[in-house]
Amino acid sequence: MSAVEVAAPPAARSLPVPFRFLRSELGLIARRRRNQAGLAVLAAVPIIIAIAVRVSSPTSSGGDQGAPQFLSSITGNGLFVALAALALEIQLFLPIAVAAVAGDAIAGEANVGTLRYLLTVPVHRTRLLAVKYAGIVAGAFVATVTVAGTGLLAGLLLFGGGDVTLLSGTTIGMGEGLLRLLAICLYLTACLAALGAVGLFVSTLTEQPMGATIAIVMFNMVSWILGVIPQVDWLHPYLLTHWWNNFGDLLRDPVAWDPLRGGLLSAAAYTVIFLSAAWARFGTRDVTS
Amino acid sequence: MTAFAVESCGLTKRFGRQVAVNAVDLAVPRGAVYGFLGPNGSGKTTTIRMLLGLIRPTSGGHALLGERMPGGAATVLPRVGALVEGPGFHPYLSGLDNLRRLDAADGTARPATADARIRAALDRVGLGAAAGKRFRAYSLGMRQRLALAAAMLAPRDLLILDEPTNGLDPQGTREVRSLIGALAAEGATVLLSTHLLSEVEQVCSHVGVMHKGHLVAQSTLEDLRAEAAPRARVETDWPEDAARVLRELGVTEVTHEAGRATGLLGQVAPEKVVAALVHDGVPVRGFAVVAADLEEQFVALTGEGFDVSG
């Protein structure tokens, strides 16, 4: 049987099927119980926010100096539940979600022994990194949209929609408000994708996915911590997380583009540097797992 | 197209100061079932990892199916099925889904035939009924079978199998042996790494023996057997007299024990031995010419049994 099929024209065997592996990778991430549970936790936060604001007395919103961004606007428009949830979760929960997927990328395959079999299929190492990174970015997008979507739904149910009063005081329609929410999701996905690039690099360094995930979360935490120490303010623009909270600038009229541009540039720089590092490291590494 | 399915030249791998594989010149002829023997830690798996491009040789190079590696990996590896250092699968996916994933990763595999090929591979290793079970629920033998199925997902010209019968029960071992025979009959070359000498004796046409990173022997199984010096064994009630006669004839390394005397025949014809014994009045109850078995040769080549080499 093998002799016959080998004799078949090579063209028949080398049909380009570029997205089959990517689809398999996305399925692997999506079907993993741990990831499903993580997504549920992400979705729970905006629901908790919405219910908490709903059941609390409306007068308590007077002194909200220390309260998270957007929380005081929720009673006016349910859309702000999504924004408040994003502002809260971008600090830790969303980075943890990205770290879990990214840490698993190479180290997870090495840990269960599938890495050696993928490479002998063969999957070119660069292609493996590309597919893994695409999976991380898709995961970051799904996580962000889950938070925003659940928040939007819970907010609309409990507080209703209507015109959106922007941070600059002007008012826009609900339709444009939704568009701006989508833009915010894309901006945060770009930010998280940069963290994902760091994570992919870390994942090529070890065979322990949990260790890689913890290292990525710690990288993120250190970045936040350095960001609140005024003595190192010269360092702040170079911190990955420095730009993340700028997503609120998409809620001004006109949009304050400069900080957003800075955030995207920073994310692009981190992404390029760490993807290159991952490639340099993984492209030549001896796979002994 | 060269005559060799696997060919290496001076293949060497150093890990720090330790030389794991030292100037190995493998030559596996096409169509052969090549038994790759050696004690644990002798460098077999490191060699196999180098052959498959998983680790880079410190020096030397090799070709698979006539294509230089690692440059030719993209074109040649789809024709190579491999089992390296035990099965490796996602524990929370079923056996079927694990194979689907591997097939999806193969850019040269045809998606249209995927299901049929996966089913055929699973049936061939006897896993058809357990295909839908999660991998983590598989026994060691089932895991090993799944790894074999993965190696046969597409038609292969070369199979590199590292200890394929590891963890299998005697029935499974027999099945794998006949599977290897069937693959060879279909025209595939099989490189079989093992430390089970019985496996080599039953299925292999060629043998290579690794010892402390060196390839200390490589030939056809027949030649290796022929090299084994035949011994004469005389069964008698007078072993001391028999030993004396043997020595007088020029037989070397003569030893005797209760009821028996043996020695290396060398150039001495066996029939002359019998005649001489009878002539001297030594009562012969049995006489045999025995070749050293593979295990004795293996021990002679590696200077040890199956101890781990440092």
Side-chain angles (χ1 to χ4, degrees), chain B residues 157-241:
Chain B
D157 298 330
L158 170 64
L159 287 136
I160 297 181
L161 306 175
D162 192 4
E163 315 243 334
T165 54
N166 207 5
L168 291 174
D169 52 25
Q171 169 68 17
T173 307
R174 242 194 324 273
E175 284 173 31
V176 168
R177 232 177 256 147
S178 75
L179 192 64
I180 290 170
L183 289 165
E186 286 166 18
T189 309
V190 182
L191 173 65
L192 176 73
S193 144
T194 181
H195 60 260
L196 299 176
L197 293 162
S198 61
E199 208 159 270
V200 172
E201 289 190 294
Q202 289 179 47
V203 298
C204 292
S205 60
H206 292 68
V207 187
V209 180
M210 288 288 286
H211 177 53
K212 293 188 176 166
H214 292 271
L215 188 66
V216 290
Q218 176 171 252
S219 71
T220 64
L221 190 60
E222 248 170 56
D223 286 352
L224 193 70
R225 282 183 188 288
E227 273 173 33
R231 301 180 79 92
R233 193 174 67 201
V234 185
E235 284 174 29
T236 170
D237 286 336
W238 299 359
E240 277 143 55
D241 294 284

Side-chain angles (χ1 to χ4, degrees), chain A residues 9 69 98 104 111 123 132 137-138 158 234 268 272:
Chain A
Q69 253 182 317
V98 170
D104 213 30
N111 192 42
V123 178
K132 286 289 177 185
V137 175
L158 292 181
W234 54 270
V272 168

Side-chain angles (χ1 to χ4, degrees), chain A residues 5-6 12-13 15 20-21 24-25 28 31-32 109 112 114 116-117 121-123 125 127 286-289, chain B residues 13 49 53-56 78 82 84-86 88-90 92-93 97 101 103 105-108 110 155 157:
Chain A
E5 296 207 23
V6 167
R13 287 195 62 183
L15 282 174
R20 234 178 126 216
F21 186 34
S24 154
E25 178 65 23
L28 192 71
R31 286 164 58 182
R32 184 109 191 240
E109 300 275 6
V112 295
T114 43
R116 60 177 182 268
Y117 286 107
V121 157
V123 178
R125 295 183 181 207
R127 180 170 161 239
D286 280 350
V287 174
T288 52
S289 63
Chain B
K13 182 67 186 180
R49 280 182 183 271
L54 289 171
I55 61 182
R56 261 160 211 266
V84 195
E85 228 174 319
F89 294 98
H90 289 287
Y92 42 86
L93 292 185
D97 285 340
R101 177 167 168 78
D103 196 69
D106 185 355
T108 65
R110 289 171 58 190
D157 298 330

